[in-house]
Structure formats: structure tokens, C-alpha cells
Amino acid sequence: MSEEHSSAEASELARLRALVAESEAKVAEAAALVARVRHEINNPLAGLLGQAQLLLREELSDKARARVLVIEDMAKRIEKIGSELRDVQMPVAAVNRTDE
């Protein structure tokens, strides 16, 4: 009976390892997608923020300056969100393996 029990344990262990590998692959795919999205957002965002900051160096009416400040603030909010996404770029399995 112990040989049968050990075979069942080995089978269960193999099934669980396959599930873990599948989950790790899905997390890695999601992390890669997040990295691509961050990159695609950060490039035009840097240009937008730079242009807003250049405009703020010019003489502007109070109304125009207020509008450019809103643009700058919104761009900085997007930039912060993008930097927070960096935390999910590295798959959990990779983090766990570096700790071992």
C-alpha cells in the first residue's frame, strides 16, 4: 500500500508542479505586457511633460498658464502610475527564486 501511496503522491506532486509552471508562465506574460505598456506610455509622456515645462518658461496669460499647469499635473500623475507598474513587471516566481 505504501508504494501505491507514494505513486499517488508523486502524481499529485507532478500535477502541482505543472500548475505552478503554468501559473508562472502566465505571470511572466502579464509582466512582459506591463513592461511594454509602460514603455509605450512613458515615451510620449516624456515629450508631453517636457513641452508643458517649456511652455511654463514662456510668458503666458494667467488662463493659459493655469491650463498648462493642469497638463503638467496630469502628466505627472500618469508618470507616477507608470512607476508604480514597475513593481508588477518582475514575475513573483523570479523574485522568489532570487531569495532562495
Side-chain angles (χ1 to χ4, degrees), residues 41-54 71 75 79:
I41 290 172
N42 281 339
N43 283 344
L45 182 60
L48 176 67
L49 190 55
Q51 291 298 311
Q53 290 169 344
L54 286 173
I71 293 168
E79 188 176 55

Side-chain angles (χ1 to χ4, degrees), residues 8 12 46 82 84:
E12 179 65 7
E84 290 170 359

Side-chain angles (χ1 to χ4, degrees), residues 5-75:
H5 182 47
S6 145
S7 175
E9 283 181 359
S11 177
E12 179 65 7
L13 184 59
R15 185 185 74 77
L16 291 174
R17 282 187 175 147
L19 282 173
V20 167
E22 184 181 329
S23 295
E24 285 178 349
K26 287 180 182 178
V27 169
E29 287 176 20
L33 175 62
V34 169
R36 286 192 307 270
V37 168
R38 280 189 66 233
H39 178 75
E40 292 301 323
I41 290 172
N42 281 339
N43 283 344
L45 182 60
L48 176 67
L49 190 55
Q51 291 298 311
Q53 290 169 344
L54 286 173
L55 274 172
L56 289 171
R57 292 180 181 176
E58 296 181 11
E59 284 190 38
L60 300 170
S61 68
D62 290 343
K63 188 175 183 178
R65 181 165 300 281
R67 287 180 175 168
V68 175
L69 284 169
V70 168
I71 293 168
E72 182 187 39
D73 287 343
M74 300 267 182

